[in-house]
Amino acid sequence: MNGEDFLAVVTTVGSRAEARSLARGLVQRGLAACAQISEIESFYTWQGQVQNDPEHRILLKTRRARYREVEAAIREMHSYDLPAIHAYALAEVYGPYGEWIAACT
């Protein structure tokens, strides 16, 4: 196992309640080993207008092999018409931590 086997998947939602529900659901389904929630402020263009809203970012740690399932679950549970869902590879991962992610997902 190396860092390239693992991903951090990111999405944003509009409320803490939705963030907690989505995070718990993905961890309970075994799609993410861990989900971290942080409060953010977002500026974005939607329907031709610049928007500015408080949001909650969810960072999910998973295996690369589970990405499509994670994406599908987020889309199923998400309230946005067009949810932000993206991932980045974890270039380096502490071995025992990587083993834990793999065991949980």
Side-chain angles (χ1 to χ4, degrees), residues 16-38:
R16 177 166 290 282
E18 183 176 0
R20 295 181 87 187
S21 175
L22 200 148
R24 181 177 300 278
L26 289 165
V27 171
Q28 284 178 333
R29 293 181 188 191
L31 294 174
C34 173
Q36 297 168 320
I37 299 168
S38 54

Side-chain angles (χ1 to χ4, degrees), residues 21-105:
S21 175
L22 200 148
R24 181 177 300 278
L26 289 165
V27 171
Q28 284 178 333
R29 293 181 188 191
L31 294 174
C34 173
Q36 297 168 320
I37 299 168
S38 54
E39 292 183 36
I40 61 171
E41 180 178 7
S42 295
F43 288 84
Y44 57 96
T45 301
W46 183 247
Q47 298 178 341
Q49 300 288 329
V50 174
Q51 306 290 321
N52 171 223
D53 291 303
E55 289 189 297
H56 291 77
R57 178 186 297 127
I58 307 167
L59 177 75
L60 305 146
K61 285 117 179 201
T62 192
R63 289 182 290 130
R64 181 181 295 277
R66 303 295 308 262
Y67 175 79
R68 293 291 170 219
E69 294 169 90
V70 171
E71 180 185 285
I74 291 170
R75 288 175 44 229
E76 167 196 320
M77 299 166 66
H78 212 290
S79 66
Y80 288 0
D81 292 335
L82 179 62
I85 307 170
H86 57 276
Y88 55 91
L90 302 178
E92 299 290 334
V93 175
Y94 172 55
Y97 186 74
E99 291 169 8
W100 173 75
I101 293 173
C104 292
T105 59

